[in-house]
Amino acid sequence: MKQVSKIIPLKNTEITGGFWADKQKLNREVTIHSVYNRFAETGRFEAFKLNWKQGEPNKPHIFWDSDIAKWMESAAYIIAKAPDAELERIIDETVDLIDKNRWDDGYFNICYTLFEPDDRFTARYNHELYCAGHLIEAAVAYYNATGKDKFLKIMCDYADMIEKAFVTEKWAEFDSPGHEEIELALVKLYHTTGEKRYLELSKYFVDVRGQEQDTYTQAHKPVREQDEAVGHSVRAVYLYSGMADLAAEYGDETLFTAADKLFDSMAKKKMYITGGLGQTCVGEAFLGDYDLPETSSYCETCADIGYILFAQRMSAISPNRKYDDAAELALYNGFLCGLSLDGKGFFYDNSIEVDLIGINNPKDGRHKPFYPITQRLEVFDCSCCPPNVTRLIANIGELACSENDNTLWLHHFMSGEFRGNGKAISVETAYPENGKMKITCSGNFTLALRLPVWCKNYTLTGGKNAVLKDNGFIYVDVADGEVIEYTLDMPVRFVQANPKVRQCCGRVAVQRGPVVYCAEGIDNPLPLKGLYVDPKNGAKLVESPEYGVSAIELDGYIKPESDELYYDYDENFVEQKIKLIPYYAYANRGETDMLIWLTRK
Ligand code: FUB
Ligand code: ZN
């Protein structure tokens, strides 16, 4: 199996305007600093001094290394595009602390150094390799952004120590990591240093997985035999991303085929309409196929981030719109919902339906069902999501394009410059507000444009020999200086779920382009399930600059008032306008009911 294309890296991309430029501006000016402040207040940066004493506040936690690592990675991507002395100072200070407090053999881990120095690599679930992986990713990002290699060398020493502990000297007391992450990180370290041993170490961790009989950490069977996404959702998508990386590097068809099956297991049987992943709070995990509860959804923001990164890898290896369409659903809905419009608040778990009566019903205290939080928070005890959000937004340009010798693929639509080898494109678009794209080409090559499966009509002008291939991309030959006008028709669509999704039977969701819409109680009469929609009535766009895309108004219905609890069915309805907003924008106006799946008249 040969990798068809390679991702165009951040350094060869510029986001120049539109939807994602706005999100990156908010990320750069507000979110990265807000997360820094919360992490400083809670002692996460202080913890790197390794001088916490019993009885002091802010006792370090086993994954604080990774929280700060993801923050540093985010800051590195921001610095790469917009130099920032303050961000650089913070990273350099933290790197100095890592250097000062690491072990002579290269090991670094705050909690083990402080609390269990004799127990390194004895407890599979304690996140040492997860934290090491995120620190490696941060070091790679910082080196690529600044050329500074101190952090990178520190993490190479740590990776070398890990290789000794797990492979050459084998004194570690477990085989595969309890939380996947290091696999994909080691491939990045290999790409940056050219040291093949890091690739081999990543392959070791992927190949050794499967004998622990542990579904929660996807260690229930060898990864090449896995065909269903199970267990903890974030662990899963990080593992699958590592599998994709290794399939590409080794041309391993079996590994790619397994990764493809796992992708389909999520995209076709376990993904919410929002792209959300993880149906249950129990283990932050997947449930069975088509079992998609709404008020108790889990849908951790990190899970969608990992899924988007997994899809990006798969669609570079073997360009196919199925990967990008599913990633786009997660990107514009399940992922983006994790961030408040003001850039300071985050969802850790994301609701698919908010029913405040159900949530606030008096409970006997013995059994209160799980409900996701209804308002975003600025920081959590377990704060993995906030710095994960900042790093994806800061690096969003890398989602756009991949290339090989003669073709450039446009996977995700955003205004920007994307420079490949001997070929480049400049994209101007207001996507996802509309589907119009003006693509100016530099060089003579084949341009491959994704045609989302939701798009039934499109226009394409410019170029020659345009052909839509089975993988859902339109391939068109372009000449230097040529301008391609590519427009996706984006009507409001009413979407139904497979009847096997028992929770959604008889209801419809509303989508426009990649954006899924929802009704909030603040805009509509309650109960929201008492709103009836008729897809035949069409829909009206309502300009809503505060969201970045239009809101939608439907000519809907409600039932006339009645004092009866039950009574004979009738066809009596009262007309009722129904206002819908983008799902990613819900819960920005206070706590209120929210519904995606609307009752069909
Ligand atoms: O365990 C580290 C991170 O914390 C996981 O990826 C998240 O699900 C949260 O549990
Ligand atoms: Zn998270």
Side-chain angles (χ1 to χ4, degrees), residues 70 234 300-303 348 383-385 388:
K70 282 181 272 185
V234 182
E300 182 177 346
T301 302
C302 286
Y348 178 118
S383 226
C384 47
C385 298
N388 226 353

Side-chain angles (χ1 to χ4, degrees), residues 147-308:
K148 292 181 179 178
D149 63 0
K150 179 175 182 180
F151 194 6
L152 187 67
K153 286 178 177 168
I154 291 169
M155 294 320 296
C156 285
D157 291 347
Y158 193 179
D160 293 339
M161 180 266 177
I162 290 168
E163 184 189 32
K164 285 199 186 87
F166 285 85
V167 182
T168 49
E169 297 169 6
K170 284 196 175 294
W171 54 264
E173 294 181 19
F174 55 87
D175 291 319
S176 65
H179 190 312
E180 300 92 325
E181 151 63 22
I182 190 131
E183 301 83 353
L184 66 90
L186 286 166
V187 174
K188 284 190 176 183
L189 195 59
Y190 160 61
H191 286 158
T192 308
T193 63
E195 294 290 347
K196 184 111 181 177
R197 66 178 184 279
Y198 299 134
L199 183 66
E200 294 291 323
L201 182 57
S202 174
K203 183 174 185 298
Y204 168 80
F205 282 127
V206 166
D207 288 349
V208 79
R209 189 170 218 87
Q211 56 222 330
E212 287 89 350
Q213 300 309 311
D214 177 19
T215 303
Y216 174 69
T217 62
Q218 299 79 39
H220 54 296
K221 62 171 83 168
V223 297
R224 289 171 179 79
E225 296 170 22
Q226 296 188 26
D227 59 7
E228 182 185 1
V230 293
H232 183 279
S233 55
V234 182
R235 286 174 167 81
V237 287
Y238 284 0
L239 168 64
Y240 305 158
S241 297
M243 287 168 65
D245 284 336
L246 295 170
E249 292 297 335
Y250 289 94
D252 184 329
E253 186 79 47
T254 315
L255 204 49
F256 182 79
T257 302
D260 185 53
K261 283 179 184 167
L262 291 161
F263 188 94
D264 286 347
S265 165
M266 291 179 279
K268 295 183 174 174
K269 297 179 179 174
K270 301 192 178 201
M271 179 173 265
Y272 284 92
I273 182 76
T274 60
L277 288 171
Q279 299 111 300
T280 178
C281 67
V282 179
E284 303 181 297
F286 295 105
L287 289 173
D289 294 349
Y290 306 109
D291 188 2
L292 293 155
E294 294 161 65
T295 55
S296 62
S297 61
Y298 197 71
C299 299
E300 182 177 346
T301 302
C302 286
D304 261 355
I305 292 168
Y307 187 79
I308 290 163

Side-chain angles (χ1 to χ4, degrees), residues 86-140:
E86 177 59 6
L87 292 181
E88 201 158 335
R89 180 192 64 76
I90 295 167
I91 296 174
D92 288 340
E93 261 182 23
T94 309
V95 170
D96 290 345
L97 288 172
I98 295 171
D99 192 27
K100 174 170 175 278
N101 294 308
R102 64 187 175 131
W103 294 44
D104 293 344
D105 63 5
Y107 179 87
F108 178 82
N109 184 286
I110 294 169
C111 283
Y112 271 88
T113 305
L114 281 175
F115 309 128
E116 300 181 79
D118 301 328
D119 297 334
R120 299 186 302 170
F121 297 138
T122 56
R124 184 167 176 266
Y125 282 93
N126 277 358
H127 285 62
E128 289 163 283
L129 294 174
Y130 169 80
C131 288
H134 278 302
L135 286 168
I136 288 170
E137 287 199 85
V140 165

Side-chain angles (χ1 to χ4, degrees), residues 403-429:
E403 67 161 335
N404 65 15
D405 291 347
N406 48 39
T407 303
L408 187 148
W409 284 263
L410 182 60
H411 298 272
H412 289 283
F413 312 126
M414 51 188 83
S415 288
E417 316 277 341
F418 306 98
R419 299 180 297 278
N421 293 319
K423 56 180 105 58
I425 59 171
S426 170
V427 182
E428 289 173 61
T429 182

